[in-house]
Amino acid sequence: MPKFAVIVFPGTNCDFETVETIKKAGGKAERVWYKESLKDFDGVVLPGGFSYADYLRGGAISARAEIMEEVKELAKEGKPVLGICNGFQILTEAKLLPGALRPNKIPRFLCRWIYLRVAVTETAFTSFYKEGEVIRMPIAHAEGNYYANNLSKVRIAFQYSNENGEIIEDANPNGSLLNIAGISNENGNVLGMMPHPERASDRWLGSEDGLRVFKSMVKYAKR
Amino acid sequence: MKYKAKIIVRLEEGLNDPEGRVIGKALKNLGYKIADLKVPKYFEVVFESENPEKDVEEMCRRLLANPVIHTYEYQIEPLGE
């Protein structure tokens, strides 16, 4: 059974539910303090939260922590690396993914349910979805406005849409370019997303659409 | 040798500055004719170095600014031994 590290920085706060969701998806998972090592893990999840209180820019300080060198090694080896919310910010700040997450267009914290359209299924985290499928999960962020100056390097994984899967301005909560909610690297083994799939992993949470992100990841790590 | 660097990090021209927009609106409400307002970040760094220009340039590129969205400028003054 593949074993995942859920990295905890000072201020991370979605670590426990992320561990539980990975277990539910059929993997092993452990919380790993950012000063510990990532030896013997088959993949890494950078969970949501407010590491270092979002000082400077969301994820900016964590991205320069020593453990991120190990994350980069794992990513290079082709192991799955998933960043959720603050974790996505860390991945862009660490240059593991292109672009940047800027403050929301309307400058405030947004916490609500949104619809997403799955844009690509050939990644380590989306193989259990159908292309074009519309899924529902919550967002909770103040800096999720995706921007990149060179879109040719960006592989879009999820886009904010309406219930019918239409990518329209009204369905864009934060001003992201092209309604981008999540992107992956070219290899498909590193993915960052602003919405919280772990908060949509059981029917009693209001949706279980997010569970398949973790099921896909576990399946990919088993190869 | 000790130096002090005064560093300003700005959003790249043309990028929307939500905080600046809101503050500008509040000034408008106070009766001022605001055409534009931006909120750059300002840092004061006291440091020791053999090569202050190179170090400050690196500090900006590696952490203080995000090259995807920011430009930066700085002044360095010597503080003595």
Side-chain angles (χ1 to χ4, degrees):
Chain A
M1 196 187 279
K3 194 169 96 179
F4 296 88
V6 175
I7 301 182
V8 183
F9 292 99
T12 297
N13 65 13
C14 300
D15 39 324
F16 283 97
E17 55 268 53
T18 303
V19 164
E20 290 312 310
T21 311
I22 296 168
K23 287 182 185 165
K24 191 177 174 190
K28 280 189 190 168
E30 272 175 33
R31 296 167 63 246
V32 176
W33 183 237
Y34 76 110
K35 289 186 173 167
E36 292 165 22
S37 157
L38 292 178
K39 266 181 204 143
D40 309 322
F41 286 101
D42 305 299
V44 171
V45 180
L46 297 160
F50 299 87
S51 61
Y52 295 95
D54 283 351
Y55 286 171
L56 192 60
R57 299 176 298 273
I61 308 291
S62 305
R64 275 84 184 171
E66 250 177 77
I67 199 169
M68 290 307 295
E69 295 308 314
E70 280 188 83
V71 174
K72 283 176 191 170
E73 278 305 309
L74 269 146
K76 221 188 267 172
E77 289 166 21
K79 291 181 178 168
V81 175
L82 171 65
I84 301 165
C85 199
N86 190 220
F88 185 11
Q89 296 165 342
I90 295 171
L91 289 178
T92 57
E93 282 283 344
K95 311 267 187 301
L96 272 160
L97 290 173
L101 291 147
R102 303 195 41 228
N104 295 341
K105 193 173 168 192
I106 301 166
R108 62 162 195 229
F109 188 82
L110 289 172
C111 186
R112 63 164 133 118
W113 287 82
I114 46 86
Y115 290 99
L116 292 176
R117 184 181 179 279
V118 181
V120 61
T121 56
E122 295 88 19
T123 79
F125 312 91
T126 54
S127 62
F128 271 78
Y129 296 100
K130 286 196 254 3
E131 196 182 316
E133 189 176 343
V134 180
I135 56 177
R136 199 172 150 265
M137 54 180 85
I139 53 166
H141 61 248
E143 296 179 35
N145 180 352
Y146 184 79
Y147 175 79
N149 39 29
N150 181 2
L151 274 173
S152 67
K153 282 188 183 160
V154 177
R155 195 172 183 213
I156 302 173
F158 299 106
Q159 283 168 293
Y160 301 109
S161 75
N162 65 9
E163 210 174 337
N164 304 317
E166 291 160 321
I167 313 295
I168 53 170
E169 190 50 42
D170 274 354
N172 188 344
N174 54 24
S176 282
L177 212 61
L178 300 176
N179 287 37
I180 287 172
I183 60 169
S184 89
N185 64 347
E186 269 176 70
N187 234 344
N189 70 310
V190 180
L191 183 138
M193 60 193 297
M194 286 316 292
H196 283 272
E198 80 282 8
R199 295 188 194 176
S201 58
D202 200 288
R203 257 191 355 199
W204 56 258
L205 289 173
S207 164
E208 51 186 358
D209 289 349
L211 185 61
R212 280 178 284 163
V213 168
F214 300 92
K215 283 189 169 171
S216 305
M217 176 178 86
V218 170
K219 184 185 163 202
Y220 177 86
K222 275 187 186 162
R223 302 163 307 155
Chain B
M1 180 85 167
K2 234 182 191 173
Y3 296 89
K4 182 175 191 172
K6 298 175 174 177
I7 304 168
I8 299 178
V9 174
R10 301 173 202 281
L11 262 181
E12 195 129 9
E13 201 52 49
L15 286 182
N16 173 8
D17 180 346
E19 190 181 355
R21 206 174 61 225
V22 172
I23 297 171
K25 233 189 217 170
L27 278 181
K28 266 189 202 169
N29 291 342
L30 293 177
Y32 299 99
K33 294 175 180 161
I34 307 296
D36 190 28
L37 192 150
K38 293 208 167 73
V39 188
K41 271 208 166 122
Y42 175 65
F43 302 85
E44 287 182 350
V45 188
V46 177
F47 62 109
E48 269 182 49
S49 173
E50 302 295 310
N51 197 342
E53 287 279 337
K54 177 174 163 279
D55 282 357
V56 172
E57 183 66 31
E58 271 183 24
M59 288 180 210
C60 292
R61 257 188 297 121
R62 296 179 66 190
L63 179 63
L64 299 181
N66 180 343
V68 179
I69 51 175
H70 292 136
T71 59
Y72 53 84
E73 60 187 72
Y74 48 81
Q75 288 174 339
I76 303 170
E77 58 187 64
L79 292 181
E81 292 304 320

